[in-house]
């Protein structure tokens, strides 16, 4: 039976979801009353202590699923010193950290999102193989940000590689803005799971963002129109014939639009979640 999990990238910055004054430490519990999945983007900046993960597992329903974003050093986004002696130690630390997710059956996948300069070349393909081997049987998703992977020359090879190496395809909806963006490729590479990430369609902001300090605020400033979301109803029906579970994450939150768009998309799809957490406001 097809299951569509719709959620957001992170749970901290979606003010429309929370009662006024709700403490940051209580936001995940309230978030889980609205959505059945979330991307843990804090892992990108630092591999999280196990006690954090254990808390998150406790605070969410049994059916809740986490998409954990790979640490920046694992995907070549290094910003400053990386506090590990080598890549092997880094991956070992990451795998140890996510064990509570796995033990609780709440890990949907680990997302490896590579930077725009990670293009299609031999050494990068070799590194992807090495990453996949390090992750063992942990489900992993792959998202490219350089157009070369889906150029006519490499398109079929890229998809075949992802199937053979057991990478879940992270399909993107994003601006078509040159080599630093990728097209929407409606091809599931895993029979069990497919990931879709909505980055918005702010073409101007996507290009301009490379030259401003607040690039994230500029790049993801976009609110999807209903007709744009309806396009994805058709797309999801196509994907559903080739994959069992579909995870949809909205990342267009620069202007606080992600939560509203995600809820709108749930309504348009006619999805009803019956096992969410109770809302805090409903307790009184």
């Amino acid at each position: 039976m097809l299951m569509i999990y719709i959620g957001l990238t992170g749970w901290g910055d979606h003010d429309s979801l929370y009662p006024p004054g709700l403490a940051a430490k209580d936001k995940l519990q309230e978030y889980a009353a609205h959505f059945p999945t979330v991307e843990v983007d804090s892992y990108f900046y630092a591999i999280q202590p196990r006690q954090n993960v254990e808390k998150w597992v406790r605070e969410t329903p049994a059916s809740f699923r986490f998409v954990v974003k790979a640490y920046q050093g694992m995907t070549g986004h290094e910003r400053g010193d990386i506090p590990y002696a080598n890549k092997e130690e880094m991956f070992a630390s990451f795998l140890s950290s996510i064990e509570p997710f796995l033990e609780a059956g709440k890990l949907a996948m680990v997302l490896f999102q590579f930077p725009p300069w990670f293009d299609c070349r031999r050494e990068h393909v070799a590194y992807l193989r090495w990453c996949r081997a390090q992750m063992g049987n942990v489900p992993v998703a792959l998202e490219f940000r350089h157009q070369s992977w889906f150029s006519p020359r490499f398109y079929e090879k890229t998809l075949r590689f992802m199937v053979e190496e057991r990478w879940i395809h992270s399909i993107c909806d994003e601006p078509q803005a040159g080599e630093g963006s990728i097209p929407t490729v409606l091809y599931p590479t895993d029979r069990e799971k497919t990931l879709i990430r909505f980055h918005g369609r702010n073409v101007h902001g996507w290009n301009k963002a490379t030259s401003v300090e607040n690039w994230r605020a500029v790049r993801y400033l976009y609110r999807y129109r209903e007709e744009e979301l309806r396009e994805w109803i058709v797309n999801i029906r196509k994907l559903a014939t080739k994959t069992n579970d579909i995870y949809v994450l909205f990342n267009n939150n620069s202007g606080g639009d992600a939560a509203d768009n995600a809820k709108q998309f749930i309504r348009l799809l006619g999805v009803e979640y019956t096992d969410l957490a109770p809302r805090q406001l409903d307790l009184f």
Side-chain angles (χ1 to χ4, degrees):
M1 179 179 176
L2 173 69
M3 182 65 186
I4 302 174
Y5 296 85
I6 298 172
L8 312 175
T9 55
W11 60 83
D13 299 325
H14 310 288
D15 292 341
S16 65
L17 298 179
Y18 306 125
L22 184 68
K25 66 181 179 62
D26 297 325
K27 286 186 175 180
L28 177 58
Q29 286 180 285
E30 183 68 11
Y31 173 96
H34 296 268
F35 301 108
T37 189
V38 73
E39 179 182 305
V40 192
D41 54 1
S42 56
Y43 262 91
F44 178 79
Y45 302 100
I47 295 175
Q48 297 297 300
R50 283 176 64 107
Q51 61 264 32
N52 287 5
V53 180
E54 290 165 355
K55 176 178 181 289
W56 299 336
V57 167
R58 288 195 306 270
E59 291 177 345
T60 49
S63 60
F64 195 87
R65 297 293 180 266
F66 293 88
V67 176
V68 178
K69 194 168 186 180
Y71 174 58
Q72 60 179 325
M74 298 163 66
T75 53
H77 286 87
E78 290 92 339
R79 298 170 182 175
D81 294 333
I82 298 296
Y84 299 98
N86 50 52
K87 292 278 189 181
E88 289 81 3
E89 181 183 299
M90 182 192 306
F91 273 74
S93 177
F94 182 90
L95 288 168
S96 175
S97 172
I98 66 171
E99 281 179 0
F101 288 132
L102 290 163
E103 292 165 358
K106 291 188 174 185
L107 180 71
M109 65 195 76
V110 173
L111 169 64
F112 282 71
Q113 183 196 49
F114 285 89
W117 54 87
F118 190 85
D119 58 355
C120 187
R121 64 176 72 179
R122 190 181 303 275
E123 56 265 40
H124 290 163
V125 172
Y127 182 67
L128 289 175
R129 283 199 173 95
W130 184 86
C131 288
R132 189 66 192 88
Q134 297 300 305
M135 297 301 291
N137 290 323
V138 174
V140 289
L142 179 55
E143 182 174 321
F144 295 114
R145 294 172 66 196
H146 193 282
Q147 204 171 75
S148 59
W149 295 94
F150 293 116
S151 66
R153 179 183 176 190
F154 295 123
Y155 183 96
E156 296 291 343
K157 292 179 180 178
T158 295
L159 293 172
R160 187 166 60 249
F161 169 81
M162 292 173 71
V163 171
E164 291 172 350
E165 292 289 317
R166 298 180 299 124
W167 286 100
I168 297 163
H169 190 185
S170 176
I171 300 171
C172 295
D173 183 290
E174 66 186 38
Q176 298 308 289
E179 67 178 17
S181 62
I182 60 169
T184 297
V185 178
L186 297 175
Y187 190 99
T189 56
D190 185 273
R191 283 293 311 177
E192 297 302 316
K193 300 174 183 179
T194 296
L195 177 62
I196 300 167
R197 297 177 83 233
F198 283 83
H199 296 304
R201 299 182 181 180
N202 185 351
V203 177
H204 173 71
W206 197 269
N207 288 326
K208 183 180 179 183
T210 59
S211 60
V212 296
E213 291 183 8
N214 61 336
W215 64 272
R216 186 178 299 277
V218 174
R219 174 167 284 178
Y220 301 114
L221 184 62
Y222 191 81
R223 189 177 187 91
Y224 283 93
R225 301 190 303 275
E226 181 172 322
E227 58 266 31
E228 294 172 329
L229 295 177
R230 287 191 179 278
E231 294 171 9
W232 272 96
I233 296 176
V234 177
N235 291 343
I236 283 178
R237 286 174 181 161
K238 292 177 182 177
L239 295 170
T241 64
K242 298 179 180 179
T243 193
N244 290 338
D245 293 341
I246 297 175
Y247 290 79
V248 180
L249 297 171
F250 282 80
N251 190 39
N252 59 318
N253 201 48
S254 297
D257 297 310
D260 290 345
N261 273 157
K263 290 199 165 192
Q264 182 182 12
F265 197 46
I266 289 171
R267 291 194 298 270
L268 291 173
L269 281 170
V271 175
E272 291 186 19
Y273 299 115
T274 58
D275 48 2
L276 299 174
R279 296 193 185 184
Q280 290 203 14
L281 291 179
D282 295 339
L283 299 178
F284 302 95

